[in-house]
């Protein structure tokens, strides 16, 4: 840790901006206990059956992950002397694409809060359960009946996420680069 901080400081002294890079791959505790394992409410299954962190979700207490993320990123950037944040591939895993993404109770609740959607009985009754049958029913219903609204919701969520991150970092003189489709 000290060597990394020294390196970032030495580079800055030479006029080179060093960025903290973040990737989002969850390795299911392959090499060590991962932070995500302690927060399963933030995980979601993708279309490939793998679990990954969904940065748009909320903690059990209802607070948004993005607020926690901003706080931790700012602390790390300041501690290490990085010029900014570089988010690379798999921060937003491709299995969380809009059509095959996260149809968990949390995301459906956020969608309903944002759009005012009222769920039909069969979908509403399954909220609170994130079993695969419920997820598949939600995905099918949304993609067939509310596709445009779902896409607009995701655009709004990503704008909100990155807007919050960028505003916080910019207010501290830091930069943000996102390299992800």
């Amino acid at each position: 840790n000290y060597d990394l901080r020294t390196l970032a400081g030495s580079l800055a002294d030479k006029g080179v901006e060093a960025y903290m890079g973040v990737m989002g791959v969850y390795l299911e505790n392959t090499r060590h206990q991962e932070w995500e394992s302690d927060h399963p409410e933030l995980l979601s299954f993708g279309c490939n059956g793998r679990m990954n962190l969904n940065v748009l979700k909320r903690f059990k207490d209802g607070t948004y992950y993005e607020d926690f993320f901003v706080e931790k990123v700012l602390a790390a950037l300041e501690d290490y002397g990085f010029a900014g944040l570089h988010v690379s591939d798999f921060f937003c895993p491709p299995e969380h694409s809009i059509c095959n993404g996260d149809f968990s109770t949390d995301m459906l609740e956020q969608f309903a809060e944002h759009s005012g959607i009222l769920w039909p009985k069969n979908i509403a009754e399954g909220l609170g359960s994130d079993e695969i049958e419920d997820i598949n029913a939600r995905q099918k219903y949304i993609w067939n009946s509310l596709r445009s609204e779902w896409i607009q919701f995701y655009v709004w969520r990503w704008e909100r996420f990155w807007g919050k991150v960028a505003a916080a970092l910019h207010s501290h003189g830091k930069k943000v680069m996102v390299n992800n489709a």
Side-chain angles (χ1 to χ4, degrees):
N1 289 344
Y2 293 109
D3 289 343
L4 182 57
R5 185 172 60 193
T6 300
L7 175 61
S10 296
L11 289 170
D13 290 344
K14 301 289 184 195
V16 177
E17 293 183 333
Y19 286 78
M20 180 177 75
V22 178
M23 295 182 74
V25 177
Y26 175 58
L27 299 175
E28 300 177 33
N29 304 313
T30 303
R31 295 182 180 92
H32 58 82
Q33 176 71 16
E34 294 180 69
W35 180 89
E36 293 97 323
S37 296
D38 297 330
H39 299 281
E41 70 273 22
L42 301 175
L43 295 173
S44 64
F45 281 103
C47 60
N48 65 2
R50 286 199 46 176
M51 292 183 76
N52 272 305
L53 174 68
N54 181 348
V55 300
L56 303 179
K57 291 182 89 168
R58 298 178 284 199
F59 287 100
K60 288 179 188 175
D61 68 3
T63 60
Y64 286 88
Y65 170 81
E66 61 208 40
D67 297 322
F68 170 82
F69 180 74
V70 165
E71 177 186 327
K72 295 300 183 183
V73 166
L74 279 171
L77 295 179
E78 293 296 332
D79 288 349
Y80 286 94
F82 288 118
L85 171 69
H86 174 241
V87 176
S88 55
D89 296 338
F90 277 93
F91 181 78
C92 315
E95 56 266 15
H96 291 158
S97 61
I98 294 173
C99 63
N100 296 315
D102 189 333
F103 292 90
S104 66
T105 297
D106 180 35
M107 292 307 290
L108 264 71
E109 287 174 348
Q110 289 185 50
F111 179 42
E113 290 165 11
H114 173 72
S115 64
I117 296 291
L118 297 176
W119 300 113
K121 185 178 179 184
N122 66 317
I123 300 296
E125 288 174 348
L127 292 176
S129 167
D130 287 333
E131 298 298 323
I132 194 68
E133 298 82 22
D134 297 310
I135 298 290
N136 289 339
R138 295 170 197 163
Q139 188 272 345
K140 184 178 179 181
Y141 175 76
I142 289 171
W143 205 244
N144 291 333
S145 303
L146 300 168
R147 182 180 308 188
S148 178
E149 294 88 340
W150 185 249
I151 292 169
Q152 290 171 18
F153 162 70
Y154 260 83
V155 167
W156 171 77
R157 279 301 286 123
W158 282 117
E159 284 178 346
R160 178 179 160 173
F161 181 89
W162 288 116
K164 192 178 286 186
V165 170
L169 271 60
H170 291 165
S171 73
H172 287 81
K174 304 296 182 183
K175 298 178 182 177
V176 179
M177 293 189 297
V178 179
N179 174 27
N180 202 310

